[in-house]
Amino acid sequence: MCGIFGYLGKRDNALELVIKGLQKLEYRGYDSWGVTTDLNGELFCKKKVGKISEANLDDFTDKKATIAMGHTRWATHGGVTDANAHPHFDPDRQISVVHNGIIENFQEIKDELGAENFVSETDTEVIAHLIAKYRKNHPFKEAVLKAVQRFEGRFAIVVLNVGENYLIAARRGSPLIVGIGEDEYFLASDIPAFLEYTQNVNYLDDNEMVIVDGGVEFLNLETGEPIKKRLVNIDWKAESAEKGEFDHFMLKEIMEQKDTILRAINQEEDDIMHIAQQIKNSRGCFLSGCGTAGKVCMAGEYFFSMIANRHVNFAPSSEFPIYHHFLRPESLLIVISQSGETADVLEAMEVAKSKGAKVLSLVNVEGSTIARQSDFSIHIKAGPEKAVASTKAATSQMALMLLIATAMRGELQEGRRVLADVGSKINDMLNPRFLTYIKTVAEQLKDHENAYIIGKAENYPMALEAAIKIQEVSYIHAEGFAAGELKHGPIALIAKGTPCISLVANDEVRQDVINNTMELKARGAHIIGISPEKHDVFDEWIKVPDVGVASPLVNIVPIQLLAYYLAVQRGLDPDMPRNLAKSVTVK
Ligand code: AGP
């Protein structure tokens, strides 16, 4: 989940440029930061605990360099200290490295090199020490190759060697992208870091290395053999990765749902029909994802059941490997991921492929690892999603699932019409009056430490997703329940004034959910009803459009806004909640 950024090229303010690039990646990891360069043959390094947004650029204006790299850290091994911040280097300060991932055999290497020579608690430091060891008898490139061939685990690294005016990067399991500019090159864990300079990129694949020295040379990590990579032009504009007039990315991305649904369903008909046919042909179809993407998969289960009459099994990606007994070559795994880099999803894919099963993916980052390792991948086209809390990606993913389900029933055009209608109704719903009302509802909840959400059928996954949204940005203990499950235990939690959100759609289970809501009300709960129609049981009624089976797409939008305003009203930063990162690239 860390942010990595390296620069080599025509500009002599490389340190400032790296810091600004890291600031665009701050959502990827932010308990400490650091930058490094070769300043006239001496390794320069500044690293400290804190947010990269607090870095003072004046500290770097006098340090002219055309090569530099930096890192924002989300701690895995070792506490949050200056010493554990990246970059890390060898005792002679010749090799400097930044790293995202986990070197699983770091302790064995550390012991071999002499643990007493280490100054940090991190796994990363062994990378610099080991490369420095090999560098004594090998050129820089060979020293890096020899070192990375010993590592077990996932990594993306950028390495600098004092006196050598080039950068080397390598990856296995964590993202690394090469930006190709005009006489300048960028290495980053995510595209927004350099999007203002170039939209031409090469994606490093697993077990590949790149040498950036006024050109780019790609090598296979295992054999050292050169490899050819295709240049990709990213159709994101730099401003789309900025906040614009919004206070936070989260609100910007919620509001972008005015048109992201329409973009999501704007897919090649052949692609949608291909996936629909693959599901039909499969014997054992699984849906898998993590967190919010996992709840989207659960909603997909209901869509495929209710619309296409097809049983599809959801499993959280972290649990999916236990299903290996059921997997066979005729099986199909569909994974959903915004970032396209989630480690648990990648591991689920490896298990499925090990059994000969096909893997399809719905992702929001073109060229991401999940996209490139799938047999077939669809881009949800939601545009960069930078807030840790996933919002527009989730509704776009659900729209695509619903579209595929209607395609399975031979009604693709009807599905497009329904979803286009949903898109325009979300557009109408996201008006200033609606936002103001949600803000007042947040005022009622902001001092509570618990909140419960109930839903049934296709809205049960939305009750679970609502809980994630509220938890992750407001830190309120929110829990989602299947409405029918309340009386089997959770209703004991309800006391006078307990905030309860009830997702009530105009579907066949509407009365059941109203009845469950009445059970809550009878025990003193403060009821917030999200529904197309008012009901006496609601203390607050958040009106949403009636969109039939697509109700999860509209019901989750007020929850996203509620979570956002709760965070703001509780004095928190909704874009970068504590302990979380935007892309969970470690298991
Ligand atoms: C969602 O708001 C969370 N940030 C988190 O649960 C996220 O959905 C999960 O980590 C999966 O990420 P992905 O979609 O990038 O795979």
Side-chain angles (χ1 to χ4, degrees), residues 333-344:
L333 171 63
I334 301 175
V335 294
I336 294 186
S337 173
Q338 189 287 130
S339 63
E341 301 298 345
T342 302
D344 288 331

Side-chain angles (χ1 to χ4, degrees), residues 290-293 337-340 342 388-390 468-469 472 582 584:
C290 300
T292 289
S337 173
Q338 189 287 130
S339 63
T342 302
V388 166
S390 187
I468 293 182
K469 282 288 100 36
E472 71 176 330
K582 181 59 182 172
V584 184

Side-chain angles (χ1 to χ4, degrees), residues 288-304:
S288 191
C290 300
T292 289
K295 307 307 174 272
V296 167
C297 291
M298 286 181 75
E301 266 189 319
Y302 287 93
F303 292 153
F304 287 120

